[in-house]
Amino acid sequence: MLGFIRTDDEALVSCLGDPQRTVAAYRELLRRGENALSAIRAGLRDTNPGVREGCCRLLDHLVDTESMGELIRMADDPDARVRIAAFHALACDRCKGDVCAPGPDRVLEPALHHLISDPDPHVRAMAAELVGKFAHSEARAVAALKASHTDDPSPAVRKKAGWFIPGGTIYERALP
C-alpha cells in the first residue's frame, strides 16, 4: 500500500518529513481521519520540522478540542514553517468540520506576540490573519493590526494587516 514498508499511523507520520513520501503520507493520514489523531499529535514533538509542519497541516482539517492546546503551542516552534502552519490552522475556519475555533482568551496573546516580533515575515502575515479574526471584538487586535499596517518592514505584512483594520476589505466584509 502506497509503496511504504510500514503503513501504521506512526510510520506515516514519520514520512511527513520525507520530501519523497510526504504527499502520499499526508493524504493517507487525512483519509484515516480521527483514527490517526494520536499519532499526529505525537508527531508535533518530532525532531524533524517537516513532520511537525505536516502534523499542523493535518490538524487544520482534523483538529479536535483535545488537540487545540497542542496546536496553540506550535505557534512558538523554532521553525518558521511550523509556526506558519500552526497559525494557518488556528485562523482557518473553512478547513474545519464542526470544531469551534479557539477564542481570543487562548490564541490572541500568542498571535499578537508573533505579529509584533516574529523575525519571519510569513509568520507575521499568518499571525495577522489570526489577530484579524478578533478585530471586531478586541481593541488590542485593531491596535496591533494598525501598527503592523504602518510600521512592519514587510510590504506583504503591511498589506495583509490593512485588510483587517476598519476600512479594510476583510474587516468590512465581516462586519457583524
Side-chain angles (χ1 to χ4, degrees):
M1 173 186 200
L2 303 171
F4 298 125
I5 295 171
R6 290 180 37 220
T7 59
D8 57 281
D9 296 340
E10 292 76 13
L12 290 174
V13 165
S14 70
C15 289
L16 293 171
D18 179 350
Q20 302 299 318
R21 293 182 172 90
T22 189
V23 172
Y26 178 89
R27 286 182 180 153
E28 179 59 18
L29 287 163
L30 189 59
R31 188 191 69 71
R32 292 180 184 188
E34 66 183 41
N35 295 327
L37 272 175
S38 63
I40 293 167
R41 279 191 222 106
L44 293 173
R45 294 179 294 284
D46 197 277
T47 57
N48 184 329
V51 172
R52 296 192 310 270
E53 177 190 12
C55 290
C56 287
R57 290 186 314 115
L58 283 161
L59 286 175
D60 182 27
H61 298 275
L62 302 173
V63 72
D64 60 354
T65 53
E66 192 177 327
S67 304
M68 197 60 74
E70 293 182 55
L71 190 55
I72 292 168
R73 281 191 290 285
M74 298 311 292
D76 290 325
D77 192 88
D79 190 276
R81 294 169 302 162
V82 176
R83 295 192 307 273
I84 291 166
F87 276 118
H88 172 82
L90 293 168
C92 180
D93 291 329
R94 110 183 125 233
C95 297
K96 313 279 181 297
D98 58 354
V99 174
C100 294
D105 58 313
R106 296 191 68 193
V107 296
L108 186 56
E109 211 50 54
L112 289 169
H113 169 74
H114 287 278
L115 175 62
I116 294 164
S117 63
D118 199 283
D120 189 281
H122 295 101
V123 175
R124 293 194 308 274
M126 286 309 305
E129 286 190 26
L130 184 53
V131 171
K133 287 181 69 167
F134 306 107
H136 293 285
S137 59
E138 296 282 337
R140 294 181 312 151
V142 173
L145 289 163
K146 284 181 176 178
S148 289
H149 180 58
T150 57
D151 300 332
D152 196 276
S154 167
V157 175
R158 291 193 306 268
K159 179 179 180 180
K160 187 171 268 191
W163 295 345
F164 295 98
I165 60 176
T169 55
I170 295 176
Y171 181 92
E172 297 300 323
R173 184 175 57 216
L175 278 170

